[in-house]
Amino acid sequence: MEQYPERRIASADQISMLARLLAPARRIVAFTGAGISTESGIPDYRGPGGVWASGAPPTLDDFLRGEEMRRAYWERRRVNYPELASRHPNRAHRMLARLERAGRLSGVVTQNIDGLHQKAGHNPDRVIELHGSAHHVRCMTCGTIWDADVIQQRLERDPGVPECERCGGVLRTTTVLFGEPMPAAPLRRAVDLARSCDVMLVIGSSLVVQPAAQVPLVAQQAGARLALVNRESTPLDPLAELVIAADAGPTLAAVERLLFENGLQPGGWQTGQK
Ligand code: APR
């Protein structure tokens, strides 16, 4: 069931304004949240029917508290991961990947753990996952990283709490849990990108979770032009040059057509194959 059945469509003026804002840019950074993936069938967190609407987010303490919590965590994972792994990028993800192929996008800073930016064709080195990834599992003792598919196969053969095959340690996905400090290196990379971009394009985030939500602010304060595409208002709206309260997929697809196919080509937009 589509989480947001009622469409919110940007006006032709808004689409034209976003295309004109992007057209001369050479160092665009996209900052994305769960809202960019709802059209791919992955619910967001704070929207109606979002993930947190059906229960509080798991915290690091919950996970460490004991075997029962970990058993529940891995059982949910065993059931839910195949569906997440089967999801595909949508028009918004594909448009950003095309901006990268056209040499205009320096990177994507995402709060998402779904891996859809990489699936859309970005150079993985240009995707900064601030909150980790659902597609990797790490041993909390020896630090070994496992591919999620490998662990999923073990879970399907032998449901329960998988242990690290190397040291017997506790395994968990590399996603950042509430109450856990965000890994410093990705955040540092994201802030460096934000400081040197000419346009910060925020897509599908409520911008309420810190310190991630600082990244677009750093860009704006460093002089970048700030544009937001989000169904709801956000705390950064007053600082943005352009706010489009509409669905990301159709909005970015329309901007892509203007930039690449309908002749708004100042600054020599390459065709940037689709
Ligand atoms: N197009 C545009 N905006 C959308 C769409 C869409 N198709 N679908 C949803 N949105 C908007 C919602 O209105 C909401 O404002 O996307 C935003 C998503 O906000 P959140 O659910 O708060 O997700 P996010 O901002 O990514 O949350 C940040 O919080 O729970 C933690 O770790 C989790 O990474 C997550 C972080």
Side-chain angles (χ1 to χ4, degrees):
M1 195 269 283
E2 164 77 36
Q3 187 185 4
Y4 290 97
E6 86 290 347
R7 289 276 167 261
R8 290 197 182 156
I9 301 300
S11 69
D13 277 352
Q14 288 176 315
I15 288 164
S16 171
M17 281 190 281
L18 183 51
R20 291 188 186 285
L21 193 152
L22 294 176
R26 281 176 167 61
R27 297 183 317 284
I28 300 166
V29 169
F31 180 90
T32 65
I36 196 172
S37 297
T38 54
E39 190 177 304
S40 296
I42 301 175
D44 65 17
Y45 293 93
R46 294 171 184 79
V51 174
W52 298 155
S54 54
T59 65
L60 180 61
D61 289 347
D62 291 339
F63 188 81
L64 296 175
R65 198 181 307 151
E67 185 75 12
E68 262 327 292
M69 287 303 293
R70 289 195 288 277
R71 186 172 302 284
Y73 171 94
W74 283 109
E75 181 51 17
R76 274 197 308 276
R77 170 87 185 180
R78 184 182 67 81
V79 170
N80 298 334
Y81 182 68
E83 184 178 342
L84 174 66
S86 72
R87 294 299 178 190
H88 298 290
N90 63 59
R91 297 172 284 182
H93 297 101
R94 292 196 298 271
M95 184 266 195
L96 295 180
R98 195 170 178 192
L99 289 186
E100 179 181 300
R101 288 195 300 275
R104 297 304 185 106
L105 183 120
S106 312
V108 176
V109 177
T110 188
Q111 301 169 96
N112 299 341
I113 60 173
D114 56 33
L116 292 187
H117 289 301
Q118 293 91 329
K119 269 190 180 176
H122 284 283
N123 173 346
D125 294 341
R126 287 183 184 269
V127 179
I128 300 175
E129 294 173 311
L130 294 179
H131 294 162
S133 167
H135 302 297
H136 297 104
V137 171
R138 181 178 57 239
C139 172
M140 296 182 76
T141 306
C142 69
T144 304
I145 301 270
W146 309 83
D147 188 68
D149 286 338
V150 169
I151 304 299
Q152 185 66 20
Q153 285 159 25
R154 284 180 52 191
L155 284 172
E156 283 166 8
R157 271 197 318 272
D158 175 18
V161 180
E163 292 175 350
C164 175
E165 285 179 331
R166 184 153 297 167
C167 75
V170 173
L171 294 181
R172 47 166 290 213
T173 61
T174 61
T175 53
V176 178
L177 294 172
F178 272 85
E180 185 175 19
M182 189 192 295
L187 184 60
R188 215 176 9 256
R189 282 184 61 208
V191 167
D192 289 347
L193 262 187
R195 284 204 179 104
S196 60
C197 72
D198 51 12
V199 169
M200 172 59 72
L201 176 58
V202 175
I203 306 161
S205 179
S206 59
L207 294 177
V208 297
V209 171
Q210 300 298 347
Q214 288 301 308
V215 172
L217 186 58
V218 165
Q220 191 268 342
Q221 289 173 340
R225 304 174 75 181
L226 177 62
L228 307 176
V229 178
N230 198 60
R231 283 178 65 96
E232 310 291 339
S233 61
T234 79
L236 289 195
D237 287 7
L239 298 176
E241 182 174 336
L242 179 59
V243 176
I244 301 178
D247 290 333
T251 301
L252 294 181
V255 170
E256 178 184 359
R257 282 193 296 276
L258 270 186
L259 287 178
F260 289 96
E261 290 147 25
N262 294 2
L264 178 73
Q265 310 244 355
W269 276 87
Q270 294 84 1
T271 54
Q273 76 282 10
K274 261 184 114 36

